[in-house]
Amino acid sequence: MFRLLVAWVGLAFIFFGGSASLPSILLSVYGLGITFPALMETSIGGQWAQATAWVVHGIAGSLIPLSASGTSISMTTSGGEVLTVLVNEKCSGAASISVFIAVFALMSLDTPLPGKTRIAMLLFGIAGTVAQNLLRLVLLLLAGYYAGPGAAADMEGMGGYVLFPLWYVLFAYVYLAYAARYRKTLQPVS
């Protein structure tokens, strides 16, 4: 499908020239969104998962009794069941970072910021996205410990769908506040 879209945008450039630039930018954002998780998983996925598991074990381990081995975190739940969670490349946050970068790119097209501020906001956003994923995993472990493996499975499936939008609302508020200040500097003084 992506190759077909690239071909259509190429034809649009041939027939319509510069007016095809916006579709090509949007297609590039889409391409980044679908390829970034796979690129991250194949390049640094194992190390990223290991680091994520280490941080999550450190945070959650200060709240509940856990043991860890590599990217595997184990516990005996409060109900006496053994629960083991594997933090692999898929759940270490590559997809959320990809979604964040794609939405950030669209937002910065619509509401641009100057270069250094845009880069700072991108880095802030990626850091916040990583933090919300760590929080999601910690909450997954806490749910598993206090409510059992079923609750951990529910948190695995739904946690990101709740936490990521909440994080992005906060990020958008900060971004738009900076954009409003930037627009004020561009307005002529009368």
Side-chain angles (χ1 to χ4, degrees):
M1 181 61 143
F2 186 71
R3 290 180 183 157
L4 180 64
L5 291 172
V6 169
W8 279 108
V9 168
L11 288 172
F13 265 114
I14 291 170
F15 292 109
F16 304 111
S19 63
S21 61
L22 182 59
S24 68
I25 291 170
L26 295 176
L27 185 60
S28 298
V29 169
Y30 172 69
L32 176 67
I34 61 174
T35 58
F36 182 82
L39 291 172
M40 189 169 166
E41 288 171 17
T42 57
S43 61
I44 62 167
Q47 297 90 342
W48 189 261
Q50 182 76 35
T52 301
W54 181 77
V55 172
V56 167
H57 176 262
I59 295 169
S62 69
L63 303 170
I64 56 176
L66 300 172
S67 63
S69 176
T71 61
S72 179
I73 301 173
S74 300
M75 73 176 91
T76 301
T77 68
S78 62
E81 299 171 272
V82 174
L83 174 63
T84 301
V85 175
L86 177 66
V87 180
N88 61 17
E89 291 87 356
K90 297 270 186 221
C91 73
S92 63
S96 351
I97 294 170
S98 174
V99 169
F100 171 80
I101 291 172
V103 176
F104 176 84
L106 295 174
M107 190 174 190
S108 64
L109 282 172
D110 183 53
T111 309
L113 290 172
K116 288 182 181 179
T117 305
R118 184 181 307 178
I119 291 169
M121 290 303 260
L122 175 63
L123 295 175
F124 166 65
I126 290 172
T129 303
V130 169
Q132 72 81 34
N133 187 61
L134 294 171
L135 176 63
R136 177 185 70 87
L137 293 171
V138 168
L139 291 175
L140 179 147
L141 292 171
L142 292 172
Y145 181 77
Y146 289 110
D154 290 344
M155 223 15 227
E156 170 69 23
M158 296 183 308
Y161 291 110
V162 173
L163 292 176
F164 182 81
L166 291 174
W167 154 243
Y168 202 84
V169 165
L170 174 65
F171 173 80
Y173 176 78
V174 172
Y175 184 99
L176 293 173
Y178 273 89
R181 278 193 229 154
Y182 175 62
R183 276 194 304 271
K184 284 182 182 178
T185 65
L186 296 178
Q187 293 177 357
V189 178
S190 33

